[in-house]
């Protein structure tokens, strides 16, 4: 527990409400550990928070909002502290209120990019999908993942760490005394892009990692399920910064120093992405980032993915080798300019072979970011059917 205690003892500064008066609604306060949790999903601390749809903070979402710190485990099984946000509608609902574990898409690596911070600042680009889930009467819990808002580098695209953080966020929401949510009620998983991979991983891990959760299904949008194919598509593209995120995140998770790979310029760019920039800022500052301009040998870092130790690391992130025990809606655009649709089609086929009930829903929305709306449009009615126990459709 020593490593966990060190991580949990860190003081995390957020902006949270300190009173009812509008003038005092955003006074800085500090989220501090208040307990030593015994089990994964146990809360370490919580504070009331706010959720704005815009950076001017003109549109405040009406919901009960709490920022939390909770226990989960990293890839190796070491206990760590992770932060997140629990949101619940204030309107009553007949029966048990479902909880949606919302796995956020790519936010960046800097601590300021944590969704729990951006929801309070009105800068979270996935605010509308979250609000739509709240509008359906669902509670929503949004994890910040390992190292995003807590000490260390965010372990971006680490399959085990992301999936565990998502599942333990549900446990934390169920156990949070400040919010009256059912301890053993219905649950669903939802995510797009990085969040799609995290939701998919959570669905695969749930039967052994969190078998007590009553998960009804998973909405998985545009998941980067095969890193080799995604890296080849991403490096040098308009989203090239994402490949750098993956290299930094996985290197952190597996204890690899990537410094010797990089020139002084490469180190500056990598440190800038780690410490200062969230997704939209990174894409604007480093468009079409190609790793061969960052390396000491002038070769793209994608070439290293086929060599030791990266070949094993990449293989360990592969989705589709484990069977989700719940129905899955897999949504992906044929015009995705970041993650090829074939990656999701292959994942669907792999899950079908394992016996999972999968509905593959393709669309032709142009662009990776724009297609998030198609996943939401498909996902909301699909989720509603899961919560009333209708038979899940399949394209297997």
């Amino acid at each position: 527990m020593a490593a966990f205690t060190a991580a949990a003892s860190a003081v995390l500064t957020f902006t949270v409400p300190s009173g009812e008066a509008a003038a005092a609604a955003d006074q800085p306060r500090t989220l501090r550990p208040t307990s030593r949790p015994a089990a994964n999903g146990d809360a370490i601390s919580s504070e009331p928070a706010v959720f704005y749809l815009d950076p001017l903070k003109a549109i405040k979402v009406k919901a009960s909002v709490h920022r939390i710190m909770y226990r989960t485990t990293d890839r190796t099984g070491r206990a760590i502290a992770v932060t997140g946000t629990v949101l619940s509608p204030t309107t009553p609902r007949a029966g048990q209120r479902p909880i949606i574990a919302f796995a956020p898409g790519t936010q960046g690596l800097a601590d300021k990019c944590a969704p729990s911070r951006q929801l309070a600042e009105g800068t979270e680009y996935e605010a509308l999908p979250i609000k739509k889930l709240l509008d359906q009467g669902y509670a929503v819990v949004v994890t910040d993942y390992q190292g995003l808002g807590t000490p260390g580098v965010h372990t971006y695209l680490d399959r085990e760490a992301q999936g565990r953080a998502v599942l333990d966020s549900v446990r934390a929401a169920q156990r949070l005394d400040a919010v009256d949510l059912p301890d053993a009620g219905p649950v669903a998983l939802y995510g797009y892009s990085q969040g799609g991979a995290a939701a998919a991983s959570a669905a695969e891990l749930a039967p052994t990692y969190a078998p007590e959760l009553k998960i009804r299904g998973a909405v998985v949008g545009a998941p980067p399920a095969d890193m080799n194919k995604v890296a080849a598509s991403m490096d040098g593209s308009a989203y090239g910064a994402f490949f750098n995120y993956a290299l930094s995140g996985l290197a952190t998770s597996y204890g690899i120093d990537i410094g010797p790979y990089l020139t002084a310029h490469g180190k500056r760019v990598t440190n800038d992405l780690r410490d200062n920039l969230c997704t939209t800022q990174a894409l604007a500052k480093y468009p079409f980032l190609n790793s061969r301009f960052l390396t000491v040998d002038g070769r793209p870092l994608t070439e290293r993915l086929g060599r030791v130790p990266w070949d094993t690391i990449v293989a360990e992130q592969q989705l589709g080798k484990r069977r989700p025990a719940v129905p899955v809606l897999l949504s992906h655009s044929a015009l995705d300019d970041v993650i090829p649709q074939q990656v999701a089609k292959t994942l669907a086929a792999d899950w079908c072979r394992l016996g999972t009930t999968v509905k593959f829903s393709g669309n032709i929305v142009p662009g990776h970011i724009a297609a998030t709306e198609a996943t939401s449009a498909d996902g909301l009615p699909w989720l509603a059917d899961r919560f009333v126990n209708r038979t899940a459709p399949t394209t297997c």
Side-chain angles (χ1 to χ4, degrees):
M1 291 289 290
F4 167 74
T5 304
S9 65
V11 175
L12 307 176
T13 302
F14 296 112
T15 300
V16 299
S18 61
E20 295 298 322
D26 296 311
Q27 294 301 311
R29 287 177 61 189
T30 301
L31 186 63
R32 298 177 183 274
T34 57
S35 66
R36 184 187 177 97
N40 291 327
D42 282 354
I44 301 168
S45 187
S46 69
E47 296 278 2
V50 288
F51 174 20
Y52 289 104
L53 291 181
D54 66 300
L56 296 178
K57 299 183 179 179
I59 308 173
K60 182 179 179 181
V61 176
K62 187 178 181 181
S64 169
V65 185
H66 286 78
R67 194 170 290 110
I68 58 171
M69 182 191 291
Y70 63 95
R71 170 180 161 153
T72 186
T73 55
D74 68 5
R75 178 187 64 82
T76 67
R78 179 178 63 102
I80 58 173
V82 165
T83 48
T85 308
V86 178
L87 309 100
S88 184
T90 55
T91 53
R93 179 186 176 93
Q96 292 184 313
R97 190 182 298 279
I99 300 174
I100 309 297
F102 189 96
T106 301
Q107 307 288 310
L109 301 185
D111 283 342
K112 70 177 184 178
C113 309
S116 63
R117 299 189 181 191
Q118 297 207 73
L119 289 168
E121 292 299 320
T123 56
E124 175 52 59
Y125 71 87
E126 291 189 293
L128 285 179
I130 293 171
K131 183 180 182 298
K132 287 180 180 180
L133 291 167
L134 291 170
D135 289 343
Q136 297 298 309
Y138 307 140
V140 181
V141 58
V142 185
T143 183
D144 289 340
Y145 301 125
Q146 179 184 1
L148 193 55
T150 46
V153 176
H154 170 38
T155 52
Y156 182 75
L157 292 188
D158 182 307
R159 180 184 59 81
E160 288 270 351
Q162 291 185 164
R164 292 173 179 179
V166 170
L167 293 170
D168 285 325
S169 74
V170 177
R171 290 167 162 162
Q174 291 176 334
R175 299 170 192 173
L176 186 63
D177 291 337
V179 180
D180 185 20
L181 295 175
D183 294 339
V187 173
L189 312 171
Y190 185 110
Y192 185 88
S193 192
Q194 179 192 5
S201 174
E204 292 185 343
L205 293 173
T208 53
Y209 187 79
E212 83 283 4
L213 295 180
K214 294 179 171 59
I215 302 174
R216 300 289 181 82
V219 175
V220 175
D226 183 328
M227 187 163 293
N228 277 313
K229 290 184 173 61
V230 173
S233 171
M234 196 177 294
D235 193 26
S237 75
Y239 300 86
F242 290 5
F243 176 69
N244 193 285
Y245 289 168
L247 195 74
S248 292
L250 292 173
T252 296
S253 185
Y254 285 81
I256 297 173
D257 179 12
I258 62 173
Y261 303 166
L262 304 173
T263 62
H265 171 65
K267 291 174 183 177
R268 284 193 297 271
V269 171
T270 298
N271 289 335
D272 196 20
L273 290 170
R274 285 184 183 182
D275 300 335
N276 302 315
L277 306 174
C278 298
T279 293
T280 54
Q281 299 163 327
L283 296 181
K285 186 172 183 178
Y286 299 108
F288 304 102
L289 184 64
N290 193 311
S291 64
R292 69 188 177 91
F293 296 120
L294 308 179
T295 61
V296 292
D297 59 9
R299 291 187 295 178
L301 288 167
T302 49
E303 287 189 10
R304 290 189 177 270
L305 299 186
R307 292 187 249 158
V308 175
W310 289 99
D311 55 346
T312 299
I313 293 172
V314 168
E316 288 181 358
Q317 312 318 312
Q318 185 81 28
L319 293 166
K321 296 179 179 179
R322 305 149 196 90
R323 177 182 177 270
V326 298
V328 178
L329 171 67
L330 191 46
S331 170
H332 204 143
S333 172
L335 302 180
D336 192 317
D337 55 346
V338 180
I339 302 168
Q341 190 192 54
Q342 186 58 49
V343 171
K345 286 184 174 181
T346 299
L347 176 60
D350 289 341
W351 277 341
C352 286
R353 278 192 292 270
L354 293 173
T356 299
T357 299
V358 182
K359 178 185 177 182
F360 180 80
S361 180
N363 62 76
I364 54 171
V365 176
H368 183 72
I369 294 174
T372 58
E373 176 57 31
T375 295
S376 179
D378 286 341
L380 290 179
W382 187 89
L383 283 173
D385 285 347
R386 303 292 72 73
F387 290 130
V388 295
N389 297 318
R390 290 195 177 98
T391 300
T394 179
T395 54
C396 289

